[in-house]
Amino acid sequence: MNENLFHSFTTPTLMGLPAVALIILLPSMMYPSPSRLINNRLTSLQAWLVQLILKQLMMAHNTKGQSWSLMLTSLILFIGSTNLLGLLPHSFTPTSQLSLNLGMAIPLWAGTVVLGLRNKMKKFLAHLLPQGTPTPLIPMLVIIETISLFIQPLALAVRLTANITAGHLLMHLIGNATSMFITLSLPAAPTTFILLVLLTMLEFTVALIQAYVFTLLVSLYLHDNT
């Protein structure tokens, strides 16, 4: 119980150097690449999942928005696999770091904003001022809408970081409570263990949902600007 709760969120090092780059590359190495004329079941399942994701994300996009299909598919697969690998014991979850999530959110958001300025500048600027706004309120509303625009990538990153961090902390606390009850109160240990198993199942679902929500919001920003 004396273990630091945030120890699992500390960036691991290898020979004194941060090992984040190797951990980030690990999920991409786990996906099989088809090398046969007839795919096996795992590759067929992977292709079916990618097609399903593409259908859901690109349904409302035009041709310009559909050019982002590879980017969005890679994004949801990376976040989802990274979140799931972070649930393994003694592992590190890169998506629990706000810096990494900001590094994903800011460039993607900036890309959608640049597309909006290039393709729909009038419509993009019109979003900063709702129709029918009284003249005295125009400066204040423009400032508020501008702030809300620039806060979008921060909201993306903070949402993902908070959900992953909160789930890992809760699992850590319940796991410590289970190990403590084994020595102090054996009848109470099965209850906390069942709670830990249920929470782990919930975290598997949260890991996939957060990957989908992050990618869906980027897709919505893209749809509004193309």
Side-chain angles (χ1 to χ4, degrees):
M1 292 298 291
N2 295 327
E3 184 181 353
N4 186 2
L5 289 177
F6 296 93
H7 177 72
S8 59
F9 304 107
T10 305
T11 304
T13 57
L14 181 64
M15 299 179 63
L17 299 175
V20 177
L22 296 176
I23 298 173
I24 291 176
L25 290 176
L26 180 61
S28 61
M29 301 177 184
M30 300 183 62
Y31 292 105
S33 56
S35 58
R36 300 178 181 178
L37 182 61
I38 300 178
N39 297 330
N40 55 24
R41 294 181 180 179
L42 182 59
T43 308
S44 300
L45 177 62
Q46 175 186 333
W48 176 78
L49 287 174
V50 170
Q51 291 178 359
L52 181 63
I53 293 171
L54 277 175
K55 182 178 179 182
Q56 293 293 327
L57 293 177
M58 298 289 107
M59 188 179 301
H61 286 279
N62 55 20
T63 306
K64 293 180 180 179
Q66 290 176 359
S67 63
W68 282 50
S69 58
L70 181 60
M71 174 74 73
L72 296 179
T73 305
S74 302
L75 179 66
I76 191 172
L77 290 177
F78 169 74
I79 297 177
S81 57
T82 304
N83 290 346
L84 291 177
L85 288 175
L87 294 176
L88 297 176
H90 305 288
S91 60
F92 173 72
T93 311
T95 48
S96 64
Q97 305 295 313
L98 184 60
S99 56
L100 174 67
N101 296 334
L102 284 173
M104 292 189 296
I106 292 178
L108 292 171
W109 167 83
T112 61
V113 171
V114 170
L115 282 179
L117 291 174
R118 288 181 57 186
N119 300 325
K120 297 181 178 180
M121 180 174 289
K122 292 183 179 180
K123 184 178 180 181
F124 180 85
L125 296 177
H127 282 297
L128 301 179
L129 184 62
Q131 188 177 5
T133 303
T135 304
L137 297 179
I138 288 178
M140 183 177 64
L141 285 180
V142 169
I143 294 174
I144 292 174
E145 291 296 330
T146 303
I147 293 175
S148 66
L149 175 66
F150 281 96
I151 214 171
Q152 287 176 352
L154 181 62
L156 273 177
V158 170
R159 181 187 294 108
L160 179 58
T161 304
N163 281 281
I164 299 301
T165 303
H168 282 61
L169 286 177
L170 193 56
M171 290 176 61
H172 184 81
L173 289 172
I174 296 180
N176 283 343
T178 302
S179 61
M180 182 185 65
F181 280 131
I182 290 177
T183 57
L184 298 180
S185 177
L186 192 59
T191 303
T192 55
F193 179 74
I194 293 174
L195 183 60
L196 180 61
V197 172
L198 294 177
L199 181 61
T200 304
M201 295 172 60
L202 177 63
E203 282 303 306
F204 270 96
T205 307
V206 170
L208 297 176
I209 290 177
Q210 289 304 314
Y212 178 74
V213 168
F214 189 98
T215 311
L216 180 62
L217 289 175
V218 174
S219 177
L220 291 177
Y221 298 156
L222 177 63
H223 179 264
D224 291 338
N225 291 286
T226 53

